[in-house]
Amino acid sequence: MRHTTEACVVGILLAGTALSPAALAQPVPGGEGVTLDQLSVEGQRGNTVGYLTKRSSTATKTDTPLLDTPQSVTVVTQQQIRDQGFQSINEAIRYVPGVIPHQGEGNRDDVVIRGQRSNADFFVNGIRDDVQYFRDLYNTQRIEVLKGPNAMIFGRGGGGGIINRVLKEADGIPIREVLVQGGQYGNKRVAIDAGDRVSDSVFFRLNGVFEDTATYRDFVDIRRYGVNPTMTFLLGPATTLKLSYEYFHDDRTTDRGIPSQFGRPYRYRENTATFFGNPDLNRARVDANIATAVLDHQFESGVQMHSQLRFADYQKFYQNIFPGGAVNAAGTQVNLSAYNNETDRTNYFSQNDFTYKFETGPLRHTLLGGVELGYQQGLSYRQDGFFNTTGTQTLVVNPLSPVSRVGVTFRNIPSGANSLYDLGLAALYAQDQIEVNEHLQFIGGLRYDHFDFASRDRRSNATIGRVDDLLSPRAGVVVKPFENLAFYGSYSVSYLPSAGDQFSALSAGTAIAQPEKFENAEIGVKYDVNPSFQLTGALYNLDRTNQRLADPNRPGFFLLSGRTNTQGAEIGANGYVTDWWQVAGGYAFTDARIASNVSTTIVAGNTVGLVPFNTFTLWNKFDVTERFSFGVGFINQTHTFASSDNTVRLPSFSRVDLGLFYRVSDTVRAQLNIENLFDRRYIATADGNNNITPGAPRLIRVQLIAQF
């Protein structure tokens, strides 16, 4: 049955290239020289040219130039994603200042933004996409990283920032594109992007992908596929309806990396590929069905309405057999542990924005009002593993031969989750962007969130609930001494209810705990050096308070005196430095500290886990001739600690990536990407002190991209 499904998906992908009569051939992006005079901020599909996006509606819910947005925003464009050859969010954000990929227990996207970790602050076209899974970029137009608390726009969470994917859509521009990829470790990938006009008022587009690959890690393989048809209906001169449906499947080996020894990753230069666990049992899979309807309408009064409805159902399961502790001093033993989780979820969201532009005397207003309604329900079911040879939850193996084939019996024990949950949410928000004159702008907004969560333990049938009513403000000012130069200041607040990022269950202790609070103050500058090159800089202070600490006098209850503080500076550069040289990247200094004693080992003054003090990233693309280009990327990251107890130190590293691009003809481009060109041995990320992921050795991938 599985092979039949995959064959059908591949058939759909290939058939998508012949959906309608052939259109005029289009140039393949990249590989050709351009002149700055020819560049326009209006790209082929929006306000993007090359590696620079000039406008976005995500940060303010209104169409606003990024130059006039009082917030640090980094956009990874489709051309940058393509040139770097990445297909995952964790790799695509490697070149975003201030963002660090987290291991995510080997089964999901997970990021650390400005010292705050989250696996839930992911959005699609501004709507929450908070389920734990690996997202593919086959249908992504661009990735927007908004830093600092964003509750005014997005609601709960988002303390360090959020990641928003803007998807490709049926826009009436003819496209017939097939991407075929191959590479080391049996990498095979095919993707299609096909779209056209059905009529003058109906547009269609289909994106699809199929990938089957092993990886540089022993026994680890990935198989995923997805299809995403979209349609746009021009219902009238003032009304547009967009429909989208996506089915996505991801099945892979979960990989928790390697353990530590003596406060360092265990022989990581020799263990780049070594798998610790049971490859027969380590699995993660997700099946996602996502349907979206978007209605845009402009009333005669001038009010613009943007209304989105989304239904999303995720069937998610993952199972881990992993290093449960450090390698002993003699180097002869390490413990394995095991568990699995079923985390199915269904989301229903309705988001309705109304925008009205008007003037009061000399002041120009862009007024936003909106309402969001949502309902989320799901299952959180964890089983802990007992090894068949010992009957216990640990299995001792030799770290020099750490692959286990021992059977495991999984049981739901009292400490493991076994609950059904549901969350009802309602939000009202209002915002005003005020343009005093060409030199001065203000923004102010307030959001009210009603958060009603309940979980029912399926063993005891006991239900615990909590209601939170949250107010999240934002305020900002933009000063523009010149048209292409803006200084800004901003203040924003977000909250994370006590149910946490994934709100799967409540206990008697968490039910009475107040939400965590994130408070951010930021100043910055944005400078359009030329119409296609922007420099940015920001200084910020981010306080996280109300973090829960175990109450030593009341087991199961908490003290809310936990605090962290992050102070940092970021510099970004995106766009065409010259007509033949593009860049994307920047520098981030991040000082994220524990500000109160969390436990006997996590104490005030410790550095927050997985946050380097300094990161520098820069991707360069050089157009040598009309047909040939090459890209060179450099990543440098100072040391980090695997967790906030600061007992396991992860070494600093530098990595060089290379891309070669050659236009074979007007419609075919060949591409070669080499990740980690000089084959450095390094640590890429971690999930605690004994689940540490070595970085990939030199990896080579080849692509052919054809347009018809």
Side-chain angles (χ1 to χ4, degrees):
M1 180 66 182
R2 170 171 158 172
H3 295 293
T4 302
T5 303
E6 292 166 359
C8 291
V9 170
V10 173
I12 292 172
L13 301 190
L14 297 177
T17 62
L19 289 171
S20 61
L24 293 174
Q26 299 178 56
V28 178
E32 70 275 17
V34 296
T35 65
L36 292 178
D37 292 338
Q38 293 172 329
L39 293 172
S40 166
V41 298
E42 293 291 337
Q44 184 184 24
R45 295 183 183 272
N47 296 287
T48 298
V49 58
Y51 298 163
L52 179 66
T53 292
K54 299 285 286 187
R55 305 179 72 95
S56 173
S57 61
T58 304
T60 61
K61 284 186 175 289
T62 63
D63 183 22
T64 303
L66 291 180
L67 189 71
D68 297 340
T69 302
Q71 181 178 5
S72 182
V73 180
T74 300
V75 179
V76 183
T77 68
Q78 186 188 25
Q79 184 178 331
Q80 183 182 339
I81 294 170
R82 172 165 293 178
D83 286 348
Q84 292 176 333
F86 297 139
Q87 276 99 34
S88 72
I89 284 181
N90 272 16
E91 285 301 318
I93 53 92
R94 278 283 187 188
Y95 284 87
V96 176
V99 184
I100 301 298
H102 189 281
Q103 185 196 83
E105 297 181 83
N107 74 87
R108 60 179 178 262
D109 292 324
D110 211 321
V111 292
V112 181
I113 307 177
R114 289 188 171 178
Q116 313 303 318
R117 176 194 171 190
S118 177
N119 50 58
D121 291 319
F122 295 93
F123 293 78
V124 174
N125 294 345
I127 296 183
R128 191 172 294 275
D129 179 40
D130 55 7
V131 173
Q132 299 175 326
Y133 72 110
F134 285 112
R135 297 149 180 89
D136 194 283
L137 303 182
Y138 76 100
N139 59 347
T140 299
Q141 186 71 19
R142 64 179 183 271
I143 300 170
E144 300 173 330
V145 183
L146 284 66
K147 301 167 192 173
N150 287 273
M152 162 57 214
I153 298 297
F154 298 101
R156 69 183 190 273
I162 67 96
I163 294 178
N164 181 59
R165 286 180 296 147
V166 178
L167 300 187
K168 301 174 184 178
E169 62 183 31
D171 53 12
I173 299 176
I175 184 169
R176 308 284 186 279
E177 181 177 278
V178 176
L179 179 150
V180 178
Q181 175 180 296
Q184 289 174 281
Y185 306 103
N187 177 250
K188 301 174 289 294
R189 180 181 174 95
V190 58
I192 69 103
D193 185 355
D196 208 338
R197 293 172 175 251
V198 179
S199 68
D200 289 341
S201 59
V202 179
F203 311 150
F204 177 78
R205 192 170 185 177
L206 174 69
N207 281 275
V209 68
F210 178 85
E211 182 172 2
D212 187 0
T213 183
T215 73
Y216 68 97
R217 299 280 295 157
D218 289 342
F219 307 108
V220 177
D221 62 86
I222 301 169
R223 180 166 295 187
R224 54 186 173 180
Y225 47 85
V227 290
N228 180 201
T230 64
M231 294 196 74
T232 298
F233 301 88
L234 306 182
L235 303 181
T239 308
T240 303
L241 175 65
K242 299 175 183 178
L243 302 178
S244 171
Y245 167 73
E246 179 182 13
Y247 171 72
F248 182 70
H249 172 86
D250 187 293
D251 191 342
R252 65 178 65 207
T253 309
T254 52
D255 178 17
R256 296 289 292 272
I258 65 176
S260 65
Q261 185 188 40
F262 306 128
R264 296 291 187 272
Y266 172 65
R267 301 176 70 241
Y268 71 92
R269 290 184 175 87
E270 293 78 28
N271 284 322
T272 298
T274 307
F275 185 82
F276 284 72
N278 187 329
D280 298 330
L281 299 178
N282 283 48
R283 301 306 306 174
R285 65 175 183 268
V286 66
D287 285 283
N289 288 275
I290 305 168
T292 308
V294 182
L295 182 66
D296 289 290
H297 179 74
Q298 181 164 332
F299 297 94
E300 292 184 2
S301 62
V303 174
Q304 294 182 337
M305 180 187 73
H306 181 67
S307 180
Q308 298 192 79
L309 286 172
R310 175 167 298 156
F311 164 81
D313 180 74
Y314 307 86
Q315 302 296 310
K316 172 66 188 293
F317 175 84
Y318 64 96
Q319 185 164 277
N320 269 311
I321 290 82
F322 64 102
V327 175
N328 68 350
T332 58
Q333 295 183 350
V334 64
N335 290 338
L336 297 183
S337 300
Y339 72 99
N340 63 40
N341 259 312
E342 185 177 357
T343 57
D344 305 334
R345 180 175 299 168
T346 304
N347 291 343
Y348 306 84
F349 289 112
S350 171
Q351 191 179 98
N352 305 276
D353 302 326
F354 299 89
T355 306
Y356 182 57
K357 295 185 177 183
F358 63 97
E359 297 180 3
T360 56
L363 305 181
R364 297 180 178 178
H365 298 261
T366 301
L367 185 64
L368 167 75
V371 58
E372 181 173 353
L373 301 174
Y375 180 71
Q376 300 180 260
Q377 62 180 0
L379 168 68
S380 180
Y381 182 58
R382 174 183 168 119
Q383 297 185 102
D384 286 85
F386 294 79
F387 293 93
N388 293 348
T389 55
T390 65
T392 67
Q393 291 181 257
T394 59
L395 178 71
V396 177
V397 297
N398 186 332
L400 298 177
S401 181
V403 175
S404 167
R405 305 288 181 173
V406 173
V408 181
T409 300
F410 293 92
R411 297 200 298 268
N412 179 238
I413 62 178
S415 61
N418 187 355
S419 61
L420 295 170
Y421 61 84
D422 62 84
L423 166 68
L425 60 94
L428 295 171
Y429 44 88
Q431 173 185 272
D432 194 8
Q433 294 169 262
I434 305 171
E435 183 179 346
V436 179
N437 54 43
E438 66 269 25
H439 301 297
L440 182 62
Q441 302 172 25
F442 294 96
I443 184 172
L446 185 67
R447 180 183 178 115
Y448 163 74
D449 279 288
H450 177 75
F451 187 93
D452 187 350
F453 178 74
S455 66
R456 178 176 64 85
D457 191 303
R458 296 196 298 177
R459 294 162 296 199
S460 66
N461 212 34
T463 298
I464 301 178
R466 177 181 172 86
V467 174
D468 286 295
D469 294 295
L470 309 173
L471 287 175
S472 305
R474 78 177 297 178
V477 59
V478 178
V479 179
K480 299 179 68 176
F482 305 103
E483 183 181 5
N484 62 335
L485 176 65
F487 297 92
Y488 70 87
S490 69
Y491 172 81
S492 57
V493 174
S494 286
Y495 293 93
L496 181 64
S498 57
D501 259 354
Q502 291 297 331
F503 57 88
S504 58
L506 280 177
S507 66
T510 56
I512 63 173
Q514 294 298 311
E516 295 186 42
K517 181 179 180 181
F518 303 84
E519 191 172 5
N520 187 76
E522 180 176 329
I523 60 173
V525 60
K526 300 181 182 183
Y527 177 42
D528 284 345
V529 180
N530 62 52
S532 57
F533 180 46
Q534 186 174 86
L535 295 174
T536 63
L539 300 172
Y540 66 89
N541 183 85
L542 173 59
D543 289 306
R544 181 176 184 173
T545 56
N546 282 358
Q547 289 181 270
R548 296 187 300 276
L549 309 181
D551 187 339
N553 300 315
R554 300 176 68 199
F557 290 82
F558 303 91
L559 304 175
L560 300 182
S561 54
R563 303 190 310 277
T564 62
N565 172 260
T566 306
Q567 297 180 344
E570 297 169 356
I571 299 172
N574 289 82
Y576 279 89
V577 181
T578 71
D579 55 9
W580 49 267
W581 175 24
Q582 286 192 82
V583 299
Y587 165 78
F589 168 78
T590 312
D591 186 4
R593 299 280 183 170
I594 304 298
S596 66
N597 293 338
V598 175
S599 68
T600 56
T601 57
I602 302 177
V603 298
N606 280 14
T607 300
V608 174
L610 217 62
V611 181
F613 283 106
N614 298 282
T615 58
F616 175 78
T617 61
L618 190 65
W619 173 263
N620 303 265
K621 183 183 179 184
F622 303 96
D623 295 323
V624 180
T625 69
E626 289 187 358
R627 291 187 177 273
F628 175 68
S629 302
F630 70 94
V632 178
F634 178 72
I635 299 173
N636 175 266
Q637 177 178 304
T638 55
H639 79 271
T640 65
F641 292 100
S643 73
S644 296
D645 64 15
N646 289 186
T647 59
V648 175
R649 179 182 170 120
L650 308 181
S652 61
F653 72 88
S654 296
R655 187 181 101 187
V656 175
D657 300 330
L658 178 69
L660 303 175
F661 318 105
Y662 183 72
R663 176 179 288 185
V664 180
S665 68
D666 288 343
T667 58
V668 178
R669 183 174 94 154
Q671 176 172 328
L672 172 72
N673 286 97
I674 305 177
E675 180 182 326
N676 191 7
L677 177 65
F678 297 113
D679 200 24
R680 298 291 299 273
R681 296 296 187 263
Y682 69 101
I683 295 299
T685 184
D687 181 50
N689 290 338
N690 293 296
N691 297 153
I692 302 168
T693 300
R698 184 188 297 115
L699 287 180
I700 299 175
R701 298 182 299 272
V702 179
Q703 290 183 354
L704 281 178
I705 305 166
Q707 293 184 330
F708 303 94

